[in-house]
Amino acid sequence: MNKLILTADSTFDLTPAMAAALDIEVIASWVRMDSDELPDYPDVTMDDLFAFHDRTGKLPQTAAAAPAEYTDFFRRFTDRGDRVLHIAKSSGMSSCFDNACMAAAELPGVTVFDSRNISSGSAMIAVEAARLRDLGLDGQELLDKLEEYRGRVQGAFIVEDLTYLHKGGRCSSLAHFGANLLHLRPQIVIRDGVMSAAKKYRGRFDNCALELIDDMLAAPHETGAAYVAHTVTDPQRLDGYVRYLREKGGFQRVVALPAGAAVSCHCGPNTFGVFIIKSV
């Protein structure tokens, strides 16, 4: 058949319906809650993860699919003569990319593309890959255009409460105490394929979320679509952020995606992320 099959790690957080509409096949990672080890996609939700933490006081643990699992996944397509372009979670944040590459080395016609992103940032890259595929692009031409697009994806998160980051070892006890005392909300940016702390906002979370949007929109950006990755538990709050982003940025549409395990387990409830495409 020699068809190009587009695949992605579940950490891109597109819903199953969206992935199916774009003809993207998805491989799950894993989430562990006590003795239960479950695929993180599509049935484990952020509400499940937060409920486990509230019940036990422990964070769920996440893990990438093993190389053998990637091999079995890719073979579903290569055994029938198809080629695979896999959109991987950033190599700087997970072993997903490396594990997929180990599997690809054993199989013909599998290319692994490092999204250098997570969540909605990876989703934007997968959606663009599907668009280029549907235009008939293939091979190096598709990869070159996707690499150029990847360089223009800009994303940042704001976290309401540092408890999950503290329990996961990503925030010291002193920083955790001080941030809560002073109502500081750290901005976490995705730069060079990794997450790093940037500026700190201060005050009510709702105001800080709007300030994050203002900062993200300060640079020239494309107005076709923006993506939101979130663990916001109040739909009305989320609707307000999305409406502000759409109107302030002049976007034709804003795609809001509940974050999967990769973000939920590390950042906790009421994390809000914005992803846009910088103008050329």
Side-chain angles (χ1 to χ4, degrees), residues 196-275:
S196 58
K199 69 180 290 184
K200 293 182 176 68
Y201 302 100
R202 184 171 182 177
R204 293 179 61 248
F205 183 75
D206 290 340
N207 294 336
C208 295
L210 300 185
E211 190 176 347
L212 169 70
I213 293 172
D214 290 339
D215 288 344
M216 291 292 292
L217 298 179
H221 58 275
E222 294 188 356
T223 57
Y227 278 59
V228 163
H230 75 92
T231 63
V232 179
T233 56
D234 183 342
Q236 289 188 329
R237 292 177 80 183
L238 177 63
D239 287 346
Y241 307 155
V242 168
R243 183 168 58 253
Y244 185 84
L245 175 61
R246 181 185 298 111
E247 294 172 356
K248 185 71 180 286
F251 295 104
Q252 297 175 27
R253 62 192 181 99
V254 175
V255 181
L257 299 174
V263 172
S264 299
C265 290
H266 295 117
C267 297
N270 295 328
T271 296
F272 176 73
V274 176
F275 292 81

Side-chain angles (χ1 to χ4, degrees), residues 21-72:
L22 293 166
D23 199 15
I24 299 174
E25 301 283 348
V26 183
I27 181 171
S29 292
W30 294 95
V31 60
R32 183 181 298 110
M33 293 182 280
D34 282 339
S35 60
D36 294 327
E37 190 164 8
L38 305 168
D40 72 343
Y41 186 92
D43 295 326
V44 175
T45 69
M46 64 181 187
D47 292 333
D48 298 326
L49 302 170
F50 299 152
F52 172 80
H53 173 266
D54 292 345
R55 185 175 68 253
T56 67
K58 297 184 290 187
L59 294 185
Q61 303 296 312
T62 59
E69 293 173 298
Y70 279 102
T71 299
D72 291 343

Side-chain angles (χ1 to χ4, degrees), residues 11 41 133 164:
T11 52
Y41 186 92
R133 174 204 61 197
Y164 276 57

Side-chain angles (χ1 to χ4, degrees), residues 54-104:
D54 292 345
R55 185 175 68 253
T56 67
K58 297 184 290 187
L59 294 185
Q61 303 296 312
T62 59
E69 293 173 298
Y70 279 102
T71 299
D72 291 343
F73 176 67
F74 293 148
R75 274 188 173 143
R76 290 166 44 192
F77 315 110
T78 59
D79 280 355
R80 67 190 191 200
D82 291 334
R83 292 165 294 115
V84 174
L85 173 59
H86 181 71
I87 308 300
K89 180 181 176 181
S90 176
S91 59
M93 302 185 205
S94 168
S95 60
C96 286
F97 175 79
D98 289 339
N99 290 356
C101 286
M102 281 189 270

